[in-house]
């Protein structure tokens, strides 16, 4: 009986040892969630605000008896209104505020982002100035004469519809540089008066307001600080063409000289915009 008991204990010990070598059952670790990489693809809307300045130049010609008797060309410093005579300058206050909103759609393929955007902004870009021109010989009285000219040029609003081509510059896709260009349009107005010091004649162009069209070109940088919110900065050059401000011939001057006397000024509507942007991406 003692031998049988010893044998039983030996078998039981071997079974227990084998059981100890079997793997234990444990719960599998919880899966780790890896968010998908950020993508620029999708619609977005946003707001912008910044600065705008003009780089317009003007060319003014005064006609008497059908012939030009005075002409001056100036290149405008920022501020939409160039001086009409050499050396006049435009002084301070040569820029304005611009602000509004934008909406668009992006499509990302690899490291490239293609998109289209439209925006509409109001501006405070306006400039009024009165200048006295250089002296010249009056064709009738033979005296030294000069012209005084006052003018106002303003841009009330500016919009555009543009294509965008971007390049993602970081592995997480969140920093993008882009170029942009397309169709531009804006609401502009201009007014011009001319007064002759010797003859006392007065010419007026009247106030003209219209919607102008042209083109725009620029670029910017944008960063996605969340999956839905992006911030950025942008530069645009806009060109809305030019227009002529021709004063209405003064009847007294016409009768005196025997021909219509008038002044014609060509004004260019172009300039630059720098603005900050914030967008919500759907």
């Amino acid at each position: 009986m003692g031998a049988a008991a010893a044998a039983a204990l030996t078998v039981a010990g071997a079974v227990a040892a084998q059981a100890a070598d079997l793997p234990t059952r444990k719960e599998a670790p919880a899966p780790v969630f890896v968010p998908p990489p950020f993508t620029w693809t999708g619609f977005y809307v946003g707001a912008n605000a910044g600065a705008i300045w003009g780089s317009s130049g003007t060319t003014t010609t005064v006609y008497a008896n059908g012939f030009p008797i005075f002409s001056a060309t100036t290149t405008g410093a920022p501020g939409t209104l160039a001086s009409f005579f050499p050396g006049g300058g435009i002084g301070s206050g040569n820029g304005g505020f611009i602000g509004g909103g934008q909406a668009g759609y992006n499509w990302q393929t690899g490291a490239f982002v293609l998109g289209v955007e439209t925006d509409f902004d109001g501006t405070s870009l306006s400039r009024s100035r009165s200048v006295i021109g250089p002296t010249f010989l009056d064709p009738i009285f033979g005296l030294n004469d000069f012209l005084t000219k006052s003018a106002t040029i303003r841009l009330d609003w500016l919009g555009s519809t543009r294509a965008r081509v971007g390049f993602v510059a970081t592995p997480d896709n969140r920093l993008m540089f882009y170029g942009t260009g397309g169709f531009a349009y804006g609401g502009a107005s201009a007014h011009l008066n001319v007064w002759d010091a010797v003859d006392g004649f007065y010419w007026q162009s009247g106030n003209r307001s219209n919607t102008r069209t042209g083109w725009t070109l620029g670029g910017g940088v944008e960063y996605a600080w969340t999956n839905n919110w992006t911030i950025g900065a942008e530069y645009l050059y806009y060109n809305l063409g030019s227009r002529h401000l021709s004063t209405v011939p003064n009847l007294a001057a016409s009768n005196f000289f025997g021909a219509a006397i008038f002044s014609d000024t060509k004004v260019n509507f172009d300039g630059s915009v720098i603005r900050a942007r914030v967008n919500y991406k759907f």
Side-chain angles (χ1 to χ4, degrees):
M1 291 181 63
L9 291 173
T10 301
V11 172
V15 172
Q18 291 179 357
D21 293 337
L22 293 176
T24 59
R25 281 191 172 187
K26 294 183 180 179
E27 293 185 1
V32 178
F33 175 72
V34 179
F38 175 78
T39 176
W40 290 92
T41 298
F43 290 95
Y44 63 89
V45 295
N48 68 79
I52 181 172
W53 64 93
S55 54
S56 60
T58 65
T59 301
T60 298
T61 304
V62 177
Y63 295 86
N65 292 319
F67 297 97
I69 62 172
F70 177 80
S71 181
T73 301
T74 61
T75 300
T80 74
L81 180 61
S83 59
F84 293 102
F85 302 98
I90 69 163
S92 60
N94 50 21
F97 170 82
I98 185 171
Q102 66 273 345
Y105 180 81
N106 288 321
W107 177 65
Q108 182 173 350
T109 173
F112 293 94
V113 180
L114 307 177
V116 61
E117 179 177 289
T118 185
D119 61 67
F120 187 88
D121 291 0
T123 89
S124 65
L125 191 57
S126 176
R127 186 66 176 161
S128 297
R129 186 164 181 83
S130 297
V131 294
I132 298 176
T135 59
F136 61 92
L137 187 65
D138 183 88
I140 298 300
F141 297 102
L143 302 175
N144 286 331
D145 197 359
F146 65 91
L147 299 177
T148 299
K149 181 174 293 189
S150 63
T152 299
I153 301 175
R154 59 184 299 148
L155 183 67
D156 297 314
W157 54 269
L158 180 67
S160 68
T161 299
R162 297 169 282 109
R164 301 204 312 168
V165 179
F167 178 78
V168 174
T170 55
D172 60 3
N173 288 347
R174 293 187 177 272
L175 181 64
M176 175 179 65
F177 295 91
Y178 65 88
T180 182
F183 177 69
Y185 46 93
S189 61
H191 179 77
L192 172 65
N193 295 326
V194 182
W195 179 73
D196 187 295
V198 171
D199 302 319
F201 298 136
Y202 180 73
W203 301 272
Q204 184 178 20
S205 70
N207 190 34
R208 298 182 180 180
S209 300
N210 68 341
T211 299
R212 305 200 57 81
T213 60
W215 55 274
T216 181
L217 189 66
V221 58
E222 198 164 354
Y223 179 75
W225 57 283
T226 73
N227 286 344
N228 296 108
W229 290 98
T230 69
I231 56 176
E234 184 176 66
Y235 166 82
L236 293 175
Y237 169 79
Y238 68 90
N239 190 315
L240 302 180
S242 61
R243 71 178 306 172
H244 286 266
L245 294 176
S246 296
T247 57
V248 177
N250 183 287
L251 294 180
S254 299
N255 294 332
F256 188 80
F257 286 102
I261 311 300
F262 67 94
S263 171
D264 180 81
T265 297
K266 178 185 177 183
V267 180
N268 300 316
F269 291 94
D270 64 333
S272 298
V273 172
I274 292 180
R275 58 190 180 185
R277 299 155 45 96
V278 57
N279 289 319
Y280 181 81
K281 175 181 172 294
F282 296 97

